[in-house]
């Protein structure tokens, strides 16, 4: 797309986007991670910058991606590091978008030395729940400790015989308490490590809009359209 053709509707706005997958160390050479490439978060950051926003991108592990021009990059490793970075960066933001794949659990203990194979089967790995950053951002705002106009979550969901992707999304929106939730339908190789997304954009006010298949940059535009509209109304 011609850069000059993009609306500059985010001029004067400050947005914070998280991207990539956190890595939770087990010992000095091993970690628990996930397949997130960070492409959706980077597309969000790039499009927001093109539309005039001041953008901070908090990135965990990603594929080898180019930092978009004009975007401030903050690198993190673990969920805990992302939590600290997000709580600090989100204050005063017009929009905060959690596009990162945050590991739900981390190894309970960080083993100081490389674990040796030994002679027998290993002990089971003990895991601890990570903080829910999105939920904490919402809580901090409710407690008056964080000033952020819009808090946006992402959810990758598969349908199952009892619950559709949309119903999983509605339940997650309610549980997280965020203002907007982008629900991606995954499965059949969709969304992870591919260039396309499809799903719904759900809002806390009950608005539900389908998001057609398209490039991640298109989904980014769709989300910033919704964010821009909402900020304009506030
Ligand atoms: N998220 C977060 N902190 C976590 C886990 C998730 O901030 N510890 C954010 C993600 O960045 C995303 C949203 O919450 O914006 C939804 O993530 P998802 O993994 O779909 O939700 P969970 O609550 O972890 O539920 P589950 O994985 O069990 O479906
Ligand atoms: Ca999760």
């Amino acid at each position: 797309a011609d850069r000059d053709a993009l609306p500059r509707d985010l001029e004067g706005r400050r947005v914070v986007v998280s991207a990539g997958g956190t890595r939770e160390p087990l010992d000095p050479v091993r970690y628990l991670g996930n397949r997130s490439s960070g492409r959706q978060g980077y597309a969000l950051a790039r499009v927001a910058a093109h539309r005039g926003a001041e953008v901070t991108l908090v990135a965990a592990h990603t594929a080898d991606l180019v930092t978009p021009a004009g975007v401030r990059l903050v690198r993190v490793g673990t969920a805990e590091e992302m939590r600290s970075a997000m709580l600090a960066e989100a204050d005063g933001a017009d929009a905060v978008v959690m596009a990162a794949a945050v590991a739900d659990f981390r190894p309970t203990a960080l083993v100081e030395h490389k674990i040796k194979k030994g002679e027998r089967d290993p002990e089971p790995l003990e895991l601890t729940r990570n903080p829910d950053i999105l939920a904490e951002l919402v809580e901090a705002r409710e407690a008056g400790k964080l000033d952020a106009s819009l808090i946006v979550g992402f959810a990758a969901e598969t349908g199952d015989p009892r619950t559709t992707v949309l119903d999983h999304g509605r339940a997650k929106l309610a549980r997280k308490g965020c203002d907007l939730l982008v629900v991606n339908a995954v499965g059949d190789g969709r969304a992870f490590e591919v260039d396309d997304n499809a799903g719904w954009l759900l809002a806390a006010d009950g608005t539900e809009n389908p998001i057609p298949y398209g490039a991640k940059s298109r989904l980014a535009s769709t989300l910033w359209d919704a964010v821009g509209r909402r900020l304009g109304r506030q």
Side-chain angles (χ1 to χ4, degrees):
D2 178 3
R3 193 188 155 140
D4 298 325
L6 285 166
R8 299 284 292 178
D9 58 333
L10 298 178
E11 199 94 59
R13 303 293 190 185
R14 196 168 82 76
V15 306
V16 182
V17 178
S18 71
T22 67
R23 287 181 162 183
E24 312 298 326
L26 172 60
D27 73 11
V29 296
R30 303 184 178 96
Y31 60 84
L32 206 61
N34 63 67
R35 290 182 192 276
S36 172
S37 69
R39 287 195 170 83
Q40 184 63 70
Y42 272 62
L44 284 159
R46 191 178 58 246
V47 171
H50 282 180
R51 287 168 70 155
E54 183 189 330
V55 183
T56 300
L57 179 60
V58 176
H61 182 264
T62 66
D64 191 11
L65 305 176
V66 176
T67 306
V71 168
R72 190 166 72 92
L73 182 72
V74 177
R75 277 272 169 212
V76 296
T78 64
E80 281 288 354
E81 287 168 16
M82 179 166 279
R83 171 181 180 271
S84 307
M86 289 305 292
L87 285 169
E89 299 294 341
D91 199 30
D94 292 290
V96 183
V97 183
M98 280 298 300
V102 183
D104 290 327
F105 312 109
R106 65 175 179 273
T108 303
L110 170 57
V111 180
E112 196 183 344
H113 303 288
K114 186 185 164 200
I115 298 165
K116 300 303 284 180
K117 180 163 63 183
E119 301 295 324
R120 282 166 294 151
D121 284 340
E123 291 297 311
L125 193 55
E126 198 189 309
L127 299 177
T128 297
R129 228 161 172 266
N130 266 329
D132 187 323
I133 302 167
L134 180 61
E136 278 195 30
L137 289 165
V138 171
E139 274 167 34
R141 184 175 64 178
E142 275 168 11
K145 292 176 188 150
L146 178 90
D147 170 30
S149 301
L150 286 174
I151 300 177
V152 185
F154 265 74
E157 303 287 349
T158 59
D160 55 64
R162 295 179 53 205
T163 314
T164 63
V165 166
L166 182 56
D167 282 332
H168 277 303
R170 286 171 176 146
K172 192 162 282 180
L173 176 69
R175 198 161 68 237
K176 299 278 185 176
C178 51
D179 304 302
L180 289 168
L181 185 72
V182 179
V183 182
N184 281 317
V186 295
D188 308 326
R190 273 182 280 156
F192 280 104
E193 296 171 328
V194 298
D195 288 328
D196 295 318
N197 274 324
W200 285 266
L201 179 59
L202 308 182
D205 62 16
T207 317
E208 298 184 343
N209 289 113
I211 300 170
Y213 282 99
K216 290 190 177 182
S217 57
R218 226 184 113 209
L219 189 149
S221 298
T222 302
L223 179 60
W224 292 126
D225 287 346
V227 166
R229 267 198 311 276
R230 286 181 150 71
L231 290 174
R233 273 192 239 129
Q234 282 179 359

